[in-house]
Amino acid sequence: MLDKNGIAKRIAKEIKDGYYVNLGIGIPTLVANYIPEGINVVLQSENGLLGMGPFPFQGEEDADMINAGKQTITTLPGSSIFDSAMSFGMIRSQKIDLTILGAMEVSENGDIANWKIPGKMVKGMGGAMDLVASAKNIIVAMQHINKAGESKLLPACTLPLTGVNCIRKVVTELAVLDILPEGGFRLIERAPGVSVDFIRQSTAGKLFADADVKEMELN
Amino acid sequence: MLDKNGIAKRIAKEIKDGYYVNLGIGIPTLVANYIPEGINVVLQSENGLLGMGPFPFQGEEDADMINAGKQTITTLPGSSIFDSAMSFGMIRSQKIDLTILGAMEVSENGDIANWKIPGKMVKGMGGAMDLVASAKNIIVAMQHINKAGESKLLPACTLPLTGVNCIRKVVTELAVLDILPEGGFRLIERAPGVSVDFIRQSTAGKLFADADVKEMELN
Amino acid sequence: MINKKVSGADEAIRDITDGKTLMLGGFGLCGIPENCIAALVKKGVKALTCISNNAGVDDFGIGLMLKTRQVKKMISSYVGENAEFERQLLSGELEVELIPQGTLATRCMAAGYGMPAIFTPAGVGTEVAEGKETRNFNGKDYLMEYAFDADFALVKAWKGDTAGNLIFRSTSRNFNPVMAMAGKITIAEVEELVEAGELDPDHIHTPGVYVHRIFQGRDYEKRIEQRTTRPRS
Amino acid sequence: MINKKVSGADEAIRDITDGKTLMLGGFGLCGIPENCIAALVKKGVKALTCISNNAGVDDFGIGLMLKTRQVKKMISSYVGENAEFERQLLSGELEVELIPQGTLATRCMAAGYGMPAIFTPAGVGTEVAEGKETRNFNGKDYLMEYAFDADFALVKAWKGDTAGNLIFRSTSRNFNPVMAMAGKITIAEVEELVEAGELDPDHIHTPGVYVHRIFQGRDYEKRIEQRTTRPRS
């Protein structure tokens, strides 16, 4: 079973040289720590930055330089700054090669819910609806099961949707799964030490799994 | 009867302190020469400049600094440069207080034709269609009659239209005329030495004129 | 050039009265019009509709105006950092319209660019789409979203000149340029106000034509929400 | 950063083949991609559709490609400076679509901003409106105009870096930034190409994500169409 860093590490392997990537808040942010050496990637932050660098050194924080998670960050040589309209312009026109974001629920037909729990939580969707509606390549980083042991990979989402029929790949603490165009989760890799049976038990949506599905390689 | 500079001089009196103004090619360009002292006006050039200054001194022409007539020009303190989308964005959102442009024909209901003579002339509309469709305040600088003595202020335009029902004021070599909301030209001022009768003769469209309409003051 | 300079925040917001619709620039607490917000709190104007990506935090930014109950309605994309906001929302004291961040930005741009409506795929198939026109282009569904209609836009820039030209610094740019274009009256507060002619025309982000009033702000706090650092190795 | 640098115009246009749709930046002869045009003439690629505000003059700019009959169709707003153009148009050798300048700019922006269509009042009631959807918003009629779909955008900037970031100078900016955003493949030629990190992130007009290839141009002529001056008094 993977921890958050393990999920981030596995997702980092999906990033290819030359990609422009948008990382959501939470686990996706951690992905930046695991991008392999020699891979040139530009991180977009939808508040208006291409070329997000690491956190600043202590004492060098700049209130004017933050990422979409409101964290102080830095630029890199070749960075550019732009306004919010252009930022979402480049997202809508699919200039961003890969979007990685979190989810509370994902359904077997690729719907995603991650912004609202009626009566309980009203943080808002931020840029997530724009990202999932526009991106050509989206990976969801999420927990496969909640603390009560209930699956979050469902036949249909129960929470208000963020986007419909848009997710094609999910990485959880248990597995890597593709969502098939015709519907259903296809198990691609197991987390180390996790059995296909346990993944099947933990997936409420339709699951297609070969008995001999391989274990993830994380290094 | 006014020459081109006279028309420009008369139009300049319509410009108020604090106006952003777009000047078309031809007579309208001359208007800049007659803006009264003490009136603060910012000229917009739709290729992407606010704060157009005078022509450069000889030897200081800059190929990168031109106006919408492709003339070399200069900037003024407080000028700004922007792209073509923003330029027409500010035109459409009516940030420009006054637009002055030329015409080949104007009709008594405020239509204008100035971009095409079928089979003869195909220069294109440039920014004129955007300007006339968007501006809240448009003055047309034009010849009242052509070389054959025919009126260009018509009941209806004969040439392909640039815009419909958009012109409210016309200044010609003979007169200043308003176009009434209900249709028809209303004579406001006569050019020096021009009679109301001659203006009536020279106006094919419906004309409303008091016998004692005043003569223009040009200084 | 036309001189847009006013003495300060109080003069700049003099005609913002009860019930007006305001746009406020900024993302989180980054690039917010601190001086204008303080002046609005001091003035006590009420029943405002505020269009802003976020709602500040409990004790800063738009949060200050929520505390004093000056806001009737918020139109935002993300409000997750403000407990007082959540309380007013859940109790029904505050109307809230949550819309996608890109839709928010583009509806501002549409107003500034004289486009009455735009099409975006954001929110198709979700509750955001309820009651909206959906239209298919090239096999993909889009929502039609209308340009905002705001009485005032309050923005914060780094530098500005007396002609109203603005330059933003780093990611404090965010919504400020698009809102500056969109207000019927746009008020800009700047960290440094210079004479017309001191800014390079090629580097101006917001041309002065969009700005009606400009003043040099003071006592900027520029609070940081998430102070993240790395150790010097 | 991702390195977008190529050796020069020939390499940059290597995959522009017969029948492609190109956007070309510039207003008149100001800010046109001189090196790319020269390379296209040399290569002799044919049956091109060119989207450009103007068509150059007889012996410069896109005029060079008209002379060699490489252009099948022009989409422009103003073409009044080119006799060869007028001849080909009147003889029927050249297809021409004339559209309002703001519509041209906004259809480029729409492509770059992922908006399938936009609304503009320009051309309502004229022959430009023929066959187009008209829609009324708040009592005013607008035409619906579609985003352009161009295979390549060829733009000219003043400075650029290897990450593809562009800075334009003076009014040579014009259509270049909006076309840079709009091409499926965007090729930028610059007067000065520098390493990533040498340009101020706050002053970049076109972020590198929009630019696929960049090269340092040479032998810029930067011809002036209307050399207007005033005497030194």
Side-chain angles (χ1 to χ4, degrees):
Chain A
M1 203 174 295
L2 302 178
D3 62 7
K4 288 181 177 186
N5 282 295
I7 295 175
K9 210 165 172 180
R10 175 59 191 80
I11 289 175
K13 295 167 78 92
E14 300 289 321
I15 296 177
K16 295 194 173 59
D17 192 45
Y19 266 16
Y20 289 88
V21 179
N22 182 290
L23 301 178
I25 299 171
I27 298 175
T29 302
L30 300 174
V31 173
N33 301 332
Y34 300 104
I35 295 169
E37 286 286 322
I39 297 273
N40 276 308
V41 167
V42 179
L43 300 179
Q44 196 238 26
S45 192
E46 67 267 24
N47 56 317
L49 170 64
L50 270 168
M52 182 165 60
F55 295 148
F57 290 120
Q58 273 183 26
E60 295 182 2
E61 309 92 307
D62 178 350
D64 289 339
M65 183 61 81
I66 64 170
N67 65 15
K70 283 101 177 177
Q71 298 171 311
T72 45
I73 42 110
T74 59
T75 57
L76 294 172
S79 284
S80 58
I81 305 280
F82 35 87
D83 66 39
S84 299
M86 182 180 269
S87 182
F88 284 91
M90 69 181 67
I91 286 168
R92 277 195 306 270
S93 68
Q94 308 196 317
K95 300 295 176 186
I96 307 302
D97 299 291
L98 176 61
T99 290
I100 302 170
L101 80 172
M104 300 191 292
E105 295 177 350
V106 165
S107 80
E108 65 187 36
N109 69 332
D111 296 353
I112 174 172
N114 75 349
W115 73 282
K116 187 181 184 181
I117 305 174
K120 270 175 115 174
M121 193 277 283
V122 281
K123 293 190 185 307
M125 65 292 280
M129 282 193 181
D130 305 273
L131 283 160
V132 300
S134 304
K136 51 191 167 187
N137 189 2
I138 305 172
I139 300 178
V140 166
M142 68 185 293
Q143 297 300 319
H144 209 114
I145 47 178
N146 67 15
K147 278 163 197 159
E150 296 161 341
S151 179
K152 299 165 81 173
L153 277 63
L154 304 171
C157 292
T158 64
L159 296 170
L161 295 179
T162 307
V164 296
N165 194 14
C166 52
I167 308 302
R168 290 288 158 263
K169 192 179 282 288
V170 179
V171 179
T172 75
E173 76 279 20
L174 303 183
V176 178
L177 309 102
D178 282 352
I179 297 178
L180 301 172
E182 64 274 22
F185 298 98
R186 169 154 209 93
L187 180 60
I188 303 296
E189 294 174 19
R190 299 176 288 120
V194 174
S195 70
V196 172
D197 272 356
F198 186 71
I199 293 166
R200 191 180 299 280
Q201 245 169 269
S202 306
T203 306
K206 201 186 307 173
L207 183 79
F208 299 95
D210 297 335
D212 60 345
V213 68
K214 69 176 177 191
E215 207 174 270
M216 289 177 204
E217 284 169 35
L218 285 170
N219 291 303
Chain B
M1 202 174 296
L2 303 178
D3 61 6
K4 287 182 178 185
N5 282 294
I7 296 174
K9 211 167 172 178
R10 175 61 191 83
I11 291 175
K13 295 167 77 93
E14 301 288 324
I15 296 178
K16 295 193 173 63
D17 191 44
Y19 266 16
Y20 290 88
V21 180
N22 181 290
L23 301 177
I25 298 170
I27 298 175
T29 301
L30 300 174
V31 173
N33 300 334
Y34 300 104
I35 295 170
E37 286 285 322
I39 296 272
N40 276 308
V41 166
V42 179
L43 301 179
Q44 196 237 24
S45 192
E46 69 267 23
N47 56 318
L49 171 63
L50 270 168
M52 182 165 60
F55 294 148
F57 291 120
Q58 272 183 27
E60 295 182 2
E61 309 93 307
D62 178 350
D64 288 339
M65 184 59 82
I66 64 170
N67 66 15
K70 281 103 179 175
Q71 297 171 311
T72 45
I73 41 111
T74 59
T75 57
L76 294 172
S79 285
S80 57
I81 306 279
F82 35 86
D83 67 41
S84 299
M86 181 180 271
S87 182
F88 284 91
M90 68 181 67
I91 286 168
R92 276 195 307 268
S93 66
Q94 305 195 320
K95 300 295 175 186
I96 307 302
D97 300 291
L98 177 60
T99 291
I100 304 170
L101 80 172
M104 300 190 293
E105 295 178 349
V106 166
S107 81
E108 65 188 37
N109 69 333
D111 296 353
I112 174 172
N114 76 347
W115 72 283
K116 185 181 185 182
I117 304 174
K120 269 175 115 173
M121 191 276 284
V122 281
K123 293 191 185 304
M125 66 291 281
M129 282 195 180
D130 305 274
L131 284 160
V132 300
S134 304
K136 50 191 168 188
N137 191 1
I138 305 172
I139 301 178
V140 165
M142 67 184 296
Q143 297 300 320
H144 210 115
I145 47 178
N146 66 16
K147 280 163 197 158
E150 297 161 339
S151 179
K152 299 164 81 172
L153 278 60
L154 304 171
C157 293
T158 64
L159 296 172
L161 295 178
T162 307
V164 297
N165 193 15
C166 52
I167 308 302
R168 291 286 157 262
K169 192 178 281 291
V170 178
V171 180
T172 76
E173 75 281 19
L174 303 182
V176 178
L177 309 104
D178 282 352
I179 297 179
L180 301 171
E182 63 272 23
F185 298 97
R186 170 155 206 91
L187 181 60
I188 303 296
E189 293 173 19
R190 299 175 290 119
V194 174
S195 71
V196 172
D197 273 356
F198 186 72
I199 292 166
R200 192 181 298 280
Q201 245 168 268
S202 305
T203 305
K206 200 185 307 172
L207 184 79
F208 301 94
D210 297 335
D212 60 346
V213 69
K214 69 177 178 191
E215 208 174 89
M216 288 178 204
E217 286 169 35
L218 285 171
N219 292 304
Chain C
M1 267 325 120
I2 300 161
N3 192 336
K4 312 289 180 84
K5 183 179 171 180
V6 297
S7 59
D10 293 333
E11 186 189 347
I13 65 149
R14 63 188 184 269
D15 50 357
I16 299 185
T17 52
D18 291 358
K20 295 293 184 191
T21 296
L22 317 183
M23 286 177 169
L24 296 104
F27 178 86
L29 300 179
C30 180
I32 61 173
E34 294 185 17
N35 281 248
C36 283
I37 292 171
L40 288 167
V41 170
K42 194 175 88 178
K43 190 177 181 189
V45 55
K46 289 212 166 358
L48 300 170
T49 296
C50 292
I51 303 169
S52 180
N53 191 61
N54 309 87
V57 295
D58 284 2
D59 61 347
F60 203 58
I62 295 176
L64 297 170
M65 293 162 66
L66 290 168
K67 229 179 194 168
T68 49
R69 311 281 295 276
Q70 296 177 264
V71 181
K72 188 184 73 174
K73 180 174 180 181
M74 282 296 313
I75 300 175
S76 299
S77 93
Y78 192 83
V79 294
E81 292 94 355
N82 191 322
E84 172 65 14
F85 178 97
E86 202 155 4
R87 194 196 62 72
Q88 289 188 25
L89 167 58
L90 293 172
S91 72
E93 294 163 56
L94 183 67
E95 285 177 63
V96 178
E97 191 180 333
L98 291 171
I99 61 179
Q101 191 173 336
T103 302
L104 184 69
T106 313
R107 290 176 65 189
C108 293
M109 189 182 75
Y113 275 22
M115 304 190 295
I118 55 98
F119 295 104
T120 175
V124 167
T126 76
E127 64 180 56
V128 164
E130 281 167 24
K132 288 177 186 159
E133 183 174 331
T134 303
R135 186 156 178 152
N136 190 287
F137 294 93
N138 305 313
K140 182 166 179 159
D141 284 334
Y142 293 81
L143 301 182
M144 192 169 81
E145 299 272 8
Y146 292 94
F148 280 123
D149 186 19
D151 300 305
F152 294 89
L154 313 180
V155 303
K156 151 75 169 46
W158 178 47
K159 284 190 180 179
D161 70 18
T162 53
N165 295 303
L166 305 179
I167 294 178
F168 303 92
R169 182 173 174 276
S170 300
T171 59
S172 70
R173 191 182 316 183
N174 55 64
F175 283 85
N176 283 299
V178 288
M179 290 185 168
M181 296 190 300
K184 279 201 202 67
I185 294 177
T186 292
I187 298 167
E189 56 175 81
V190 299
E191 291 185 52
E192 188 185 350
L193 182 61
V194 301
E195 291 302 312
E198 291 189 34
L199 303 179
D200 183 338
D202 281 339
H203 291 161
I204 285 162
H205 296 124
T206 298
V209 68
Y210 287 115
V211 174
H212 300 82
R213 302 168 195 165
I214 189 167
F215 66 94
Q216 174 147 347
R218 52 183 197 179
D219 303 330
Y220 280 106
E221 197 173 327
K222 296 176 73 166
R223 209 184 282 188
I224 290 174
E225 270 182 89
Q226 304 283 340
R227 187 177 296 271
T228 44
T229 58
R230 67 185 146 138
R232 289 174 196 274
S233 57
Chain D
M1 269 324 120
I2 300 162
N3 192 336
K4 312 288 181 83
K5 183 179 171 182
V6 297
S7 59
D10 292 333
E11 186 188 348
I13 65 148
R14 64 188 183 269
D15 49 358
I16 299 184
T17 51
D18 292 359
K20 294 292 182 190
T21 297
L22 316 183
M23 288 177 168
L24 296 103
F27 178 84
L29 302 179
C30 181
I32 60 173
E34 296 185 17
N35 279 251
C36 282
I37 292 170
L40 288 168
V41 170
K42 194 173 89 178
K43 190 177 182 188
V45 55
K46 288 211 165 2
L48 300 170
T49 294
C50 292
I51 302 169
S52 180
N53 190 61
N54 310 87
V57 294
D58 283 3
D59 61 347
F60 203 58
I62 295 177
L64 296 171
M65 291 160 67
L66 290 167
K67 229 179 197 169
T68 48
R69 311 284 293 279
Q70 295 176 264
V71 181
K72 188 184 73 174
K73 180 174 180 181
M74 281 296 313
I75 301 175
S76 298
S77 93
Y78 192 82
V79 294
E81 292 94 353
N82 191 323
E84 171 66 13
F85 178 96
E86 204 155 2
R87 193 197 62 72
Q88 288 189 26
L89 168 57
L90 294 172
S91 71
E93 293 163 56
L94 183 65
E95 286 176 61
V96 178
E97 191 179 332
L98 290 171
I99 63 179
Q101 192 175 335
T103 303
L104 184 69
T106 313
R107 290 175 66 189
C108 292
M109 189 183 73
Y113 275 22
M115 303 189 296
I118 55 98
F119 294 103
T120 176
V124 167
T126 76
E127 64 179 57
V128 164
E130 282 167 24
K132 288 177 187 160
E133 182 173 330
T134 303
R135 186 157 178 152
N136 190 287
F137 294 93
N138 305 314
K140 181 164 181 159
D141 283 334
Y142 294 81
L143 301 183
M144 191 170 82
E145 299 272 9
Y146 292 94
F148 280 123
D149 187 18
D151 300 306
F152 294 88
L154 313 180
V155 302
K156 153 74 170 45
W158 180 46
K159 283 189 180 181
D161 69 17
T162 52
N165 295 303
L166 304 179
I167 294 177
F168 302 92
R169 183 173 173 277
S170 298
T171 59
S172 71
R173 194 183 313 184
N174 55 63
F175 283 86
N176 283 299
V178 288
M179 289 184 169
M181 293 191 301
K184 279 201 202 69
I185 293 176
T186 292
I187 297 167
E189 56 175 83
V190 298
E191 291 185 52
E192 187 185 350
L193 182 60
V194 300
E195 290 302 311
E198 291 189 34
L199 303 179
D200 184 338
D202 281 339
H203 292 161
I204 285 164
H205 296 124
T206 298
V209 68
Y210 287 115
V211 175
H212 301 81
R213 301 167 196 165
I214 190 167
F215 67 93
Q216 174 146 349
R218 51 184 198 180
D219 305 328
Y220 280 105
E221 198 172 326
K222 296 175 71 166
R223 211 185 279 188
I224 291 174
E225 269 181 90
Q226 305 283 341
R227 187 177 296 271
T228 44
T229 59
R230 65 185 148 139
R232 289 172 195 275
S233 57

